[in-house]
Amino acid sequence: MPKTAPAQTSSAPLDLVIFGGAGDLSVRKLLPALYMAHLHNNLPASTRIHALGRQPWDRDTFLGFVQDKVTPFIAAAAREGDTWQRFLDRLNYVCLDATQSADYQALGQALQNGSDRVYYLATAPTLFTDICAHLAGAQLIDTASRVVLEKPLGHDLASAQAINDEVGRYFQESQIFRIDHYLGKETVQNLMVLRFGNTIFEPLWRSPYIKSVQITVAESVGVGSRAGFYDGTGALRDMVQNHLLQLLCIVAMEPPVSLDPDAVRDEKLKVLRSLRPMTVADVARDTVRGQYSAGASNGGSAIGYLKEDNVPADSGTETFVALRAHINNWRWANVPIFLRTGKRMAERRSEIVIEFADLPYRLFTDSPRQSVNRLMIRLQPEEHVQLQMMAKEPGSGMRLRPVNLNLDLESAFTERRAEAYERLLMDVIKGRLTHFMRRDELEAAWTWVDPILDGWAQLNEKPKAYTAGSWGPAASSALMAREGSAWVEEA
């Protein structure tokens, strides 16, 4: 894999081009993130933001759309004064059909002379090839250009390789930013500091001192307007192949020799390549597929997945996955890794739980429970780190009770905490690749996921039903119990 060139700061004007500029991601995440960067003077002064879409709008119509649709995602207090108007002055709109080469001439005319260009492809991956080819045909790509690719990058290894091959015809690897917004979260980046900026955990961060690792990304919402896309994707492709495996890489990687992007990503790649491949028998034993049925969620009633709009009545798509993985290396030998994600679960929660090994001998026999030590890293909705330890209850005797040592990152630092997309967009602008996936990482993740998909196809079993507002099928608890563990909310 070619090594990454060092990040550079350019004095050239910047054009940031968003394909799908009036789409959901742009409205909810990208434009609000760019506004916050503008508000805090982090965008280069010469930055222009070009939203591209098929709607036959002029610039004033687009600005009205932004005023109506984007402002609900920005705090009113942040839009006081003339800062909002100065941000609107940066915006432009170009009506463009991504599949039509002639439309790219209008884009070229809108860009600044001699500018650095960032192309953000907030579109379906099926358009990536056309977009890159037409950009090249219109001579809108040079060595300073960058392209940002949104997930999902393929639906299996072969399609991911095809996308990489096509994009790679026009952009060097050092120009390609495969974004995973979880890698922009402050707590995820803090996990590297927790591990490699302190000495207290490293001697214990291995087998046999760690009993298990749990990584959960739970959502309380259903599929909503994404049903048409989601039914052809499912939870494994949508969440496990990218978000959860990237979190696992940071948990399990060896210390890099530096913070150089390739040094960090080399270590993450080793983790992905060390994941034990699953056979059909492994898939049957160590994975659980679920699909939510009607229940109660977010304070109200919730329909089942099969009743969602644009979902076939006989759909076998999973909205929940729990699985047990193993990493075949010395550090993680015999440590089960539990990954879990789902829609319509009991609450919105993303967290990593490191459960340390049981005591070899139970000294405090008055205590009714086994001592438990856990490091719990909460990513959302709030961000904090807790170390669960045992302490003596007040009074006579030696009864123990678990207590938490808390690191509340939101109160420990008074500085503003940028959202994940804002942080990652600034990394793109500055050419910093550390928190973006390299091609070989992406393909290694698909290499591990593909046999699971194939195993499910061979087993031909329907997903297990679970009630909306629960923590998933009972089989996911049984998966943990076989290893003498429990999901943290059940412990």
Side-chain angles (χ1 to χ4, degrees):
M1 180 59 59
K3 292 302 179 184
T4 301
Q8 297 179 352
T9 302
S10 172
S11 59
L14 175 67
D15 283 309
L16 202 158
V17 180
I18 304 175
F19 286 83
D24 188 58
L25 179 66
S26 180
V27 167
R28 292 187 303 107
K29 297 294 183 182
L30 302 183
L31 290 174
L34 289 168
Y35 173 70
M36 295 306 292
H38 162 84
L39 176 65
H40 294 278
N41 299 313
N42 290 326
L43 287 180
S46 58
T47 301
R48 295 289 308 282
I49 300 167
H50 306 269
L52 312 186
R54 298 179 65 176
Q55 297 88 338
W57 295 342
D58 58 16
R59 181 173 182 273
D60 288 341
T61 304
F62 175 68
L63 293 184
F65 170 84
V66 170
Q67 189 72 38
D68 183 42
K69 300 297 184 180
V70 176
T71 53
F73 298 97
I74 302 172
R79 292 184 282 109
E80 294 177 350
D82 65 348
T83 310
W84 176 246
Q85 182 57 50
R86 287 189 287 110
F87 177 71
L88 294 180
D89 292 343
R90 293 185 185 268
L91 300 184
N92 184 38
Y93 180 80
V94 177
C95 178
L96 179 144
D97 183 337
T99 65
Q100 300 300 312
S101 60
D103 288 4
Y104 287 74
Q105 299 304 317
L107 173 59
Q109 293 169 9
L111 301 179
Q112 302 171 85
N113 290 331
S115 64
D116 292 340
R117 285 94 185 250
V118 172
Y119 299 107
Y120 198 116
L121 275 53
T123 67
T126 52
L127 293 175
F128 290 178
T129 298
D130 282 340
I131 291 172
C132 293
H134 293 322
L135 286 172
Q139 298 183 331
L140 298 179
I141 299 174
D142 60 23
T143 56
S145 302
R146 294 160 191 158
V147 63
V148 184
L149 306 180
E150 266 287 345
K151 76 174 185 74
L153 287 172
H155 59 271
D156 57 15
L157 176 60
S159 57
Q161 289 174 326
I163 291 171
N164 282 329
D165 287 343
E166 290 300 319
V167 175
R169 290 175 59 189
Y170 309 104
F171 292 91
Q172 298 295 316
E173 181 65 25
S174 59
Q175 297 175 279
I176 301 173
F177 291 72
R178 300 174 186 85
I179 194 167
D180 183 333
H181 73 273
Y182 268 69
L183 298 183
K185 291 181 178 292
E186 191 73 57
T187 315
V188 174
Q189 296 184 6
N190 239 317
L191 179 56
M192 286 190 64
V193 178
L194 186 75
R195 288 197 57 197
F196 306 132
N198 300 281
T199 61
I200 59 174
F201 290 116
E202 178 57 24
L204 302 178
W205 206 267
R206 62 186 65 243
S207 174
Y209 304 109
I210 290 179
K211 181 179 179 179
S212 69
V213 175
Q214 303 177 27
I215 301 177
T216 293
V217 177
E219 299 177 274
S220 59
V221 297
V223 293
S225 61
R226 296 179 73 221
F229 157 79
Y230 194 92
D231 195 66
T233 303
L236 186 70
R237 290 185 176 100
D238 190 44
M239 298 295 289
V240 176
Q241 182 272 331
N242 40 71
H243 297 329
L244 275 78
L245 287 185
Q246 284 295 307
L247 294 176
L248 174 58
C249 285
I250 298 174
V251 169
M253 65 189 280
E254 295 296 323
V257 297
S258 72
L259 293 180
D260 174 82
D262 284 310
V264 174
R265 297 188 296 181
D266 284 347
E267 297 304 331
K268 290 165 62 183
L269 178 63
K270 291 177 185 176
V271 174
L272 293 169
R273 288 179 171 171
S274 297
L275 284 167
R276 184 186 302 170
M278 285 200 183
T279 65
V280 175
D282 294 330
V283 170
R285 182 185 63 247
D286 292 338
T287 71
V288 177
R289 299 173 72 223
Q291 188 182 87
Y292 64 82
S293 57
S297 179
N298 293 323
S301 61
I303 61 174
Y305 177 73
L306 297 180
K307 297 297 184 181
E308 298 277 10
D309 292 340
N310 300 316
V311 173
D314 59 349
S315 173
T317 298
E318 79 282 355
T319 62
F320 173 96
V321 174
L323 58 84
R324 179 178 64 174
H326 292 277
I327 299 173
N328 286 339
N329 63 25
W330 283 21
R331 181 184 289 269
W332 297 103
N334 301 317
V335 177
I337 312 289
F338 297 100
L339 308 180
R340 176 178 61 163
T341 187
K343 299 281 190 184
R344 285 289 184 214
M345 296 183 71
E347 63 184 61
R348 175 174 174 257
R349 180 204 298 173
S350 296
E351 67 182 356
I352 300 165
V353 178
I354 310 297
E355 184 174 3
F356 293 96
D358 296 334
L359 290 170
Y361 174 73
R362 185 173 174 184
L363 179 62
F364 300 101
T365 54
D366 286 351
S367 179
R369 59 178 296 167
Q370 172 70 25
S371 297
V372 175
N373 297 141
R374 295 187 183 94
L375 181 67
M376 295 177 287
I377 303 159
R378 179 68 61 89
L379 310 179
Q380 64 181 23
E382 69 277 2
E383 298 183 354
H384 63 239
V385 179
Q386 294 182 332
L387 179 61
Q388 186 179 92
M389 305 180 69
M390 303 302 291
K392 177 186 174 298
E393 291 183 358
S396 61
M398 295 295 285
R399 293 174 61 87
L400 307 186
R401 180 192 303 172
V403 296
N404 293 330
L405 300 178
N406 294 312
L407 173 58
D408 186 339
L409 297 173
E410 294 181 356
S411 61
F413 300 99
T414 58
E415 298 88 342
R416 183 183 75 93
R417 298 164 67 81
E419 293 293 329
Y421 271 101
E422 180 186 348
R423 190 177 292 111
L424 292 175
L425 283 166
M426 293 310 302
D427 281 348
V428 174
I429 291 170
K430 295 177 181 179
R432 299 188 298 221
L433 280 155
T434 303
H435 302 299
F436 298 84
M437 283 187 290
R438 207 167 57 190
R439 172 175 181 156
D440 48 6
E441 280 185 81
L442 173 68
E443 294 179 0
W446 276 119
T447 297
W448 186 72
V449 166
D450 269 4
I452 302 175
L453 293 167
D454 293 342
W456 286 346
Q458 292 184 47
L459 293 168
N460 196 28
E461 297 176 353
K462 290 185 176 180
K464 294 176 171 59
Y466 65 96
T467 304
S470 70
W471 282 107
S476 69
S477 299
L479 182 69
M480 295 285 287
R482 290 202 303 268
E483 295 288 343
S485 296
W487 297 111
V488 67
E489 70 276 357
E490 299 172 346

